[in-house]
Structures are given as structure tokens and as C-alpha cells.
Amino acid sequence: MSKRLSVANLPHEMTEAQLQTLFSEAGQVASAKIIPYMHNEQPCGFGFVQMKSLAESQKALAIFNGRTINGRLLAVREDRPQSKCFFANRGRNRG
């Protein structure tokens, strides 16, 4: 089972195809997604990469976290499962 990696501080001109090609240095990429700004659909410099295996995910993390691409220092981390919304529990457990 592989882990999804979050990638921050991507160059704004980077495409999903370029992100996939970059991470293929660490192995087979299952998916690569760059997140756009909501208001103008331009890339916001943040994305996700899913590698085919856990070993490839760990290799990608080791290779790319702290690597400089087009003058930008990448921050790569294991993506955490999405937690429940903070507001979903409001009003509960109040004395």
C-alpha cells in the first residue's frame, strides 16, 4: 500500500505532467495533482503525488523533501487522513 504525499512550494508554472515526470525519478507514479486557487484556477504551488508502492513513496519523500526546483525549496510530507471538520463537533460535550 502506498502513501499519498503532499508537496508544497511547487513552482507556479509547473504542470501535473511535469510533477509526475519529476516524481518518476523515485519510481512509478500512480497520480499527480496540482491544486488551483479557487478564485482564478491558477496553480497555487501545492499538490499531491501518489506513488505505486510504499517503498517508492518513502524514496520520493527522501529525494524530494528539501530539494530546490526552479529556485523553490520543496516541502514533501506524508499526507494525513482528512480529519472531521472542527465545526462538526461544536456544541457537543459542553458541561
Side-chain angles (χ1 to χ4, degrees), residues 26-93:
Q28 291 185 314
V29 177
S31 66
K33 177 76 176 157
I34 293 179
I35 307 302
Y37 284 115
M38 289 177 57
H39 63 279
N40 66 7
E41 295 297 314
Q42 296 296 315
C44 70
F46 185 81
F48 295 99
V49 175
Q50 178 94 30
M51 303 300 288
K52 291 269 185 177
S53 72
L54 181 58
E56 290 169 328
S57 295
Q58 292 170 339
K59 184 178 177 183
L61 182 64
I63 291 172
F64 296 109
N65 187 41
R67 184 169 174 181
T68 302
I69 304 292
N70 294 351
R72 296 179 68 103
L73 189 66
L74 298 184
V76 181
R77 292 178 174 65
E78 289 183 6
D79 189 37
R80 293 184 220 140
Q82 198 171 23
S83 62
K84 291 185 179 180
C85 178
F86 168 77
F87 296 103
N89 291 325
R90 284 182 60 177
R92 295 184 189 164
N93 299 327

Side-chain angles (χ1 to χ4, degrees), residues 17-31:
Q18 290 170 326
L19 181 61
Q20 182 165 350
T21 300
L22 178 67
F23 272 76
S24 68
E25 291 178 30
Q28 291 185 314
V29 177
S31 66

